[in-house]
Amino acid sequence: MKSRKIYGFLCLAAVFMCSLFGLSSLAATASKVNSVTIHVKSNVNAGDFFAQNKLVQDEPEAGEVGVWVDSTQYELTDLKLQSGATRGLTMGEVIKFRAVLELTDPENTSFKTEFTAKNVTISGGSASCTSVSRTNSKLTLTIELSGVKGQYEEPDEIWWSETGTKPGLAKWDASSNGSGYYDLQLRRGGTTIKELEGFSGTSYNFYPYMTVAGKYTVKVRAVPHTTEQKAYAKASSWVTSDPLQISSDEVSSGAGAEWDEILTAGNDGTLSAVEGATTGKAGWIDNNGFWYYKFPDGHFKSNGWELISGQWYAFDEMGRMRTGWYDSPTGRYYLDTSGAMIAGWLYDDAWYYLDANPSSATYGKVLTDTFVIWNGNTYYVDANGHMATGWTEIRGNWYYFRAGSGEMARNEWVDTFYLNENGIWQK
């Protein structure tokens, strides 16, 4: 009898252990949701009336913000607007809301314990997750949209002031919702004489630029200034002044003018100095951040190459000295910060070889798909001009170029492959 009791006890213990083991196994196999993705799409603009009912769980129509998820593990169960409610939206305003995500199978899945905003991906690029609160089966996300986009109002009017001893003072009304900064253009007929970008103020004296008789007009528009403003605000439409007639006895001497460029193109394509901007100086001229080269006869080098003091320089169609990469009709070249053409090896994310033979027709040009002999070593540059390294197939033959240096291996074994005196793998 005693032995039967012991046997019965052992059976019960075995059943209990099996049950416990089963529960442990089930707990061990429960899956964790380590990250979530939520889609947010804004279709609102400044001036739109926005409220809770404009926050929808679908593709948004005009004036709405759409929020949804595509997952079998969790679903979007609630949206609650936190700011931007029941009124017209102002430009740059941030809409903030809360989104609740709940697991679809909470018995077999759970959100991971350390769940933060870094584990939340916002698809669409117009919003960010700023905070997360969690339970095992529910996440509450706080989401902020980028500033509401819109366009600045244009100034109401621009006019020529009649005060002062000289004409040419332009004034305009401030934009009602602008940044306080403006783009300006002074024009004579169909020609732009002077441009200003990001000017702060509501008046500007254009008289120094009125060096030729004729009818002048000014255009103005409100523009964003800061990086933040540029992210959500567009420049306003242009507003144009009435024409101002400048007679031959009213023209300016050019004193006080700050020219954007010292060259202008004529109807025949030739270049000449902007009226009032010449100094009589020849040689290199620095003007407003650009370098120009003026010959003693008064004309400027433009649209081509010029050998100056033993160095080659390139100039664009407006006579400005080029720097950096230059894709010319004859090939690709590189000009350093001084404007001088570079020859030989150049590293710019990859190694390039620019023909270093001064007597060659391709001097300074990036060479492509060819072998290069340099300091007694052989190299290869591919179709993009990049120096080859490692195993490379060239016109049906395999070569090995040393990692780092790019030198061709010759008369040696690389791993189990032999390369002959020409660097070709002997199959």
Side-chain angles (χ1 to χ4, degrees):
M1 190 70 167
K2 183 176 181 181
S3 62
R4 269 188 285 215
K5 287 183 179 180
I6 293 173
Y7 176 76
F9 173 78
L10 290 175
C11 289
L12 289 172
V15 171
F16 174 75
M17 291 300 293
C18 288
S19 300
L20 183 61
F21 179 76
L23 289 173
S24 299
S25 299
L26 185 61
T29 57
S31 63
K32 292 284 187 180
V33 177
N34 297 316
S35 64
V36 297
T37 298
I38 184 167
H39 303 277
V40 179
K41 185 175 181 180
S42 175
N43 200 7
V44 299
N45 293 291
D48 289 346
F49 183 87
F50 198 76
Q52 176 67 41
N53 64 344
K54 298 293 185 178
L55 199 58
V56 299
Q57 296 188 37
D58 204 346
E59 280 278 352
E61 297 182 356
E64 294 180 341
V65 172
V67 187
W68 68 95
V69 297
D70 296 317
S71 175
T72 58
Q73 292 183 302
Y74 52 87
E75 59 185 347
L76 178 63
T77 59
D78 191 36
L79 292 172
K80 180 66 175 178
L81 188 63
Q82 300 295 302
S83 66
T86 63
R87 58 183 172 80
L89 294 167
T90 59
M91 198 185 316
E93 184 171 355
V94 174
I95 295 174
K96 182 164 64 174
F97 63 91
R98 287 182 181 173
V100 177
L101 303 181
E102 295 191 48
L103 294 169
T104 55
D105 185 8
E107 293 183 0
N108 296 308
T109 56
S110 64
F111 291 114
K112 76 170 190 173
T113 304
E114 299 295 330
F115 213 103
T116 69
K118 292 182 179 179
N119 305 114
V120 179
T121 298
I122 305 291
S123 173
S126 61
S128 61
C129 179
T130 59
S131 67
V132 177
S133 62
R134 167 200 170 277
T135 66
N136 283 340
S137 62
K138 183 168 70 173
L139 293 178
T140 301
L141 315 178
T142 300
I143 296 175
E144 292 187 3
L145 272 69
S146 303
V148 175
K149 294 184 178 182
Q151 183 176 21
Y152 285 147
E153 295 288 336
E154 66 269 18
D156 288 337
E157 186 181 3
I158 182 169
W159 66 93
W160 297 106
S161 174
E162 296 181 358
T163 59
T165 58
K166 300 289 185 182
L169 177 63
K171 293 186 175 182
W172 57 94
D173 293 324
S175 173
S176 60
N177 70 338
S179 65
Y181 289 82
Y182 303 89
D183 285 349
L184 300 166
Q185 290 184 0
L186 174 69
R187 298 176 65 84
R188 187 183 70 247
T191 303
T192 299
I193 306 300
K194 174 67 176 177
E195 293 183 293
L196 291 94
E197 294 183 351
F199 174 77
S200 177
T202 55
S203 66
Y204 189 84
N205 181 20
F206 283 103
Y207 179 68
Y209 305 93
M210 297 175 170
T211 58
V212 174
K215 289 184 177 181
Y216 289 84
T217 56
V218 173
K219 298 173 66 177
V220 61
R221 66 176 179 179
V223 295
H225 181 64
T226 66
T227 301
E228 181 182 8
Q229 289 167 349
K230 291 175 181 178
Y232 62 74
K234 293 196 301 183
S236 74
S237 302
W238 289 97
V239 178
T240 305
S241 72
D242 291 332
L244 174 67
Q245 180 69 50
I246 297 295
S247 63
S248 57
D249 58 351
E250 292 178 311
V251 297
S252 168
S253 65
E258 296 180 2
W259 297 98
D260 300 315
E261 296 174 348
I262 60 172
L263 300 181
T264 185
N267 293 332
D268 59 357
T270 59
L271 296 172
S272 59
V274 169
E275 300 142 336
T278 55
T279 62
K281 175 183 175 182
W284 286 108
I285 297 175
D286 178 16
N287 189 84
N288 218 29
F290 293 104
W291 283 97
Y292 302 81
Y293 193 78
K294 182 181 179 184
F295 294 99
D297 65 359
H299 84 277
F300 291 85
K301 178 64 186 181
S302 64
N303 202 27
W305 293 92
E306 189 69 25
L307 184 63
I308 303 172
S309 301
Q311 295 280 355
W312 283 100
Y313 298 85
F315 298 84
D316 68 13
E317 64 278 0
M318 289 301 295
R320 295 171 293 200
M321 182 191 77
R322 296 181 183 273
T323 59
W325 287 109
Y326 171 37
D327 293 311
S328 81
T330 59
R332 198 176 196 205
Y333 300 81
Y334 190 86
L335 306 140
D336 67 17
T337 53
S338 73
M341 185 188 75
I342 297 296
W345 288 105
L346 169 73
Y347 185 78
D348 184 27
D349 293 329
W351 281 103
Y352 298 83
Y353 183 75
L354 297 87
D355 191 352
N357 181 3
S359 61
S360 170
T362 58
Y363 179 49
K365 177 181 174 180
V366 173
L367 299 186
T368 59
D369 190 23
T370 189
F371 291 99
V372 173
I373 308 299
W374 179 269
N375 289 340
N377 293 308
T378 302
Y379 305 81
Y380 176 75
V381 286
D382 65 18
N384 296 314
H386 299 168
M387 182 186 76
T389 58
W391 287 104
T392 304
E393 185 180 16
I394 304 169
R395 289 178 274 283
N397 293 315
W398 281 95
Y399 301 80
Y400 183 81
F401 300 92
R402 303 188 195 285
S405 70
E407 297 171 2
M408 178 193 288
R410 300 171 181 266
N411 291 321
E412 62 180 277
W413 291 88
V414 175
D415 297 324
T416 58
F417 307 97
Y418 182 73
L419 302 161
N420 68 13
E421 68 278 3
N422 295 316
I424 300 172
W425 168 42
Q426 298 299 286
K427 302 179 182 179

